[in-house]
Amino acid sequence: MVRWCLLIGMTILAANQHSEAGDEVTPHVVLGIHGGIGEDKKDMTPELEVKVRAALNAALKAGKLKLDEGGSSLDAIEAAIRVMEDDPVLNAGRGAVFTHEGRNELDASIMDGKTKKAGSVASVTVIKNPISAARAVMEKSKHVMLIGRGAEVFATRQGLEIVDPNYFWTKHQWDSISEIWKQEAAEEAKKKGNCDENSTSESPSLRKPHFGTVGAVAIDKNGNLAAGTSTGGMTNKMFGRVGDSPIIGAGTYAENETAAISCTGHGEFFIRFAVSHEIVSQIKYKKVTAKEAVEDVINGQLKGVNAEGAAIVLDKHGQFTTARNSEGLYRGWITSEGKTQVRLYDE
Ligand code: ASP
């Protein structure tokens, strides 16, 4: 009883402290997911909202099913992320953003909180589900990270599904990169004093980079935590650019002693600030709550350098929370009793 009162008290305290930007702390969560920062609210349409919510709900359902069948937290992470990778509405797998050169290069990682084993792939172009490739690297190779062609050959040898690069092409992402190319051309012409008077495009420097990415954190019946993240990266990235999502300690981290974390946002900053590892370190060494740690990193350290992003955290007690310094964060969570929540902005 005393323990529960304490827990509830601490939960309310943490939620109140950061109510302006973060979600509350929810207990008894077995799976939490995100689908990235997403669209600015002004650009969200009712049709898109229905699709995003459906994708998140389907991912939660797939992950929870694995846990209900007695699967591990890793099984739940892989199942949930595969659903989001297959859904063209999110920036991972099919639906990934385009590089500056007009290709889709995908990154993913997964980490097992029990063993601290991890696997990741980066810059892959033909693996249908990069999260499964990341898991295969963790479980079936002696390495942690494989990139490009090596990752693709490995995935092929593991019998994972290989697709034509065109599989990842989607109209909305193509329109998005095409618009950027147009703006860059207009900017270039302007520099040369050759400006097209009729051009209505805004300067590319005024455009917000598009953020997406999907991720999941889970805890299973044995108390084992796991985390995973998968992404197409940032729109208009240079070919060969790798963000934080496949970097263990940046976009993804899990350890049973503290928490499981998956991030989304401006990857270069998440790498430099070792965001997910910084969060577990604060919990471990500063003895703060997961909520306090994630708020410090996202709304303190990253906001301080104008780095946009968010993180979802599931601690070893099954308490789920998120922090964001962005307008939106597509996110959802499900409790052991199957109670599901999906949110996109401040709701
Ligand atoms: N963090 C990802 C990257 O930098 C992008 C995102 O989260 O949207 O590649």
Side-chain angles (χ1 to χ4, degrees):
M1 180 66 183
V2 173
R3 217 174 120 223
W4 274 113
C5 289
L6 244 173
L7 199 68
I8 292 165
M10 279 161 59
T11 303
I12 291 168
L13 190 71
N16 285 345
Q17 272 171 353
H18 306 289
S19 54
E20 78 288 357
D23 276 317
E24 71 272 21
V25 179
T26 311
H28 308 304
V29 170
V30 288
L31 173 66
I33 60 170
H34 70 82
I37 286 170
E39 297 296 321
D40 287 347
K41 203 168 178 189
K42 65 172 174 35
D43 299 325
M44 177 55 89
T45 62
E47 298 76 38
L48 182 59
E49 182 166 350
V50 167
K51 286 185 193 166
V52 172
R53 286 183 182 277
L56 296 179
N57 275 306
L60 286 170
K61 204 168 149 194
K64 180 68 161 60
L65 186 65
K66 287 285 173 196
L67 294 172
D68 290 347
E69 289 170 353
S72 67
S73 46
L74 287 167
D75 295 332
I77 297 290
E78 186 182 0
I81 291 185
R82 281 180 70 102
V83 167
M84 294 190 280
E85 286 177 339
D86 290 347
D87 198 315
V89 84
L90 300 170
N91 171 22
R94 185 150 178 267
V97 298
F98 284 92
T99 63
H100 180 70
E101 295 71 24
R103 282 159 47 100
N104 307 106
E105 296 181 355
L106 315 174
D107 303 333
S109 66
I110 194 162
M111 185 162 184
D112 178 3
K114 182 184 174 193
T115 58
K116 286 201 190 172
K117 284 186 176 168
S120 78
V121 294
S123 246
V124 295
T125 58
V126 295
I127 301 171
K128 179 170 174 277
N129 291 107
I131 193 66
S132 296
R135 187 170 180 184
V137 171
M138 175 175 76
E139 293 179 341
K140 311 257 174 63
S141 86
K142 49 181 194 249
H143 305 298
V144 169
M145 186 174 203
L146 291 176
I147 64 160
R149 190 81 193 108
E152 291 169 352
V153 168
F154 174 76
T156 308
R157 287 186 186 148
Q158 291 300 319
L160 298 182
E161 196 170 347
I162 301 299
V163 290
D164 186 278
N166 279 335
Y167 165 82
F168 299 106
W169 190 97
T170 54
K171 184 173 178 327
H172 67 285
Q173 297 292 15
W174 186 252
D175 288 348
S176 174
I177 191 71
S178 302
E179 177 60 23
I180 290 172
W181 288 334
K182 233 168 66 193
Q183 290 175 355
E184 286 181 347
E187 191 76 359
E188 203 47 41
K190 207 152 101 190
K191 269 197 226 143
K192 287 182 189 146
N194 191 11
C195 186
D196 173 3
E197 299 283 310
N198 299 320
S199 170
T200 53
S201 293
E202 59 179 329
S203 159
S205 57
L206 297 177
R207 266 186 73 91
K208 238 182 98 191
H210 180 87
F211 295 114
T213 295
V214 308
V217 288
I219 190 164
D220 59 30
K221 61 179 188 317
N222 299 317
N224 290 325
L225 287 164
T229 311
S230 181
T231 190
M234 287 169 68
T235 310
N236 202 31
K237 66 184 180 182
M238 185 180 164
F239 73 101
R241 177 264 188 188
V242 176
D244 61 309
S245 308
I247 308 287
I248 298 303
T252 304
Y253 203 78
E255 61 173 28
N256 276 6
E257 300 77 19
T258 50
I261 294 133
S262 173
C263 303
T264 179
H266 197 148
E268 280 69 10
F269 290 94
F270 279 70
I271 295 172
R272 286 167 47 199
F273 284 71
V275 167
S276 57
H277 194 265
E278 170 72 12
I279 294 168
V280 297
S281 296
Q282 288 204 15
I283 298 170
K284 200 154 48 174
Y285 303 119
K286 279 177 81 183
K287 311 273 180 228
V288 296
T289 63
K291 181 70 189 169
E292 287 165 334
V294 70
E295 287 293 349
D296 175 70
V297 179
I298 300 296
N299 277 310
Q301 298 185 33
L302 289 181
K303 202 171 174 182
V305 292
N306 287 327
E308 192 172 18
I312 63 170
V313 185
L314 184 64
D315 76 11
K316 64 177 178 182
H317 306 294
Q319 302 200 88
F320 177 74
T321 192
T322 71
R324 68 186 198 279
N325 60 37
S326 50
E327 188 183 21
L329 173 65
Y330 300 166
R331 61 209 186 277
W333 57 95
I334 189 161
T335 66
S336 46
E337 306 86 39
K339 216 169 147 240
T340 305
Q341 286 280 337
V342 165
R343 294 188 191 166
L344 309 188
Y345 301 97
D346 275 330
E347 293 142 58

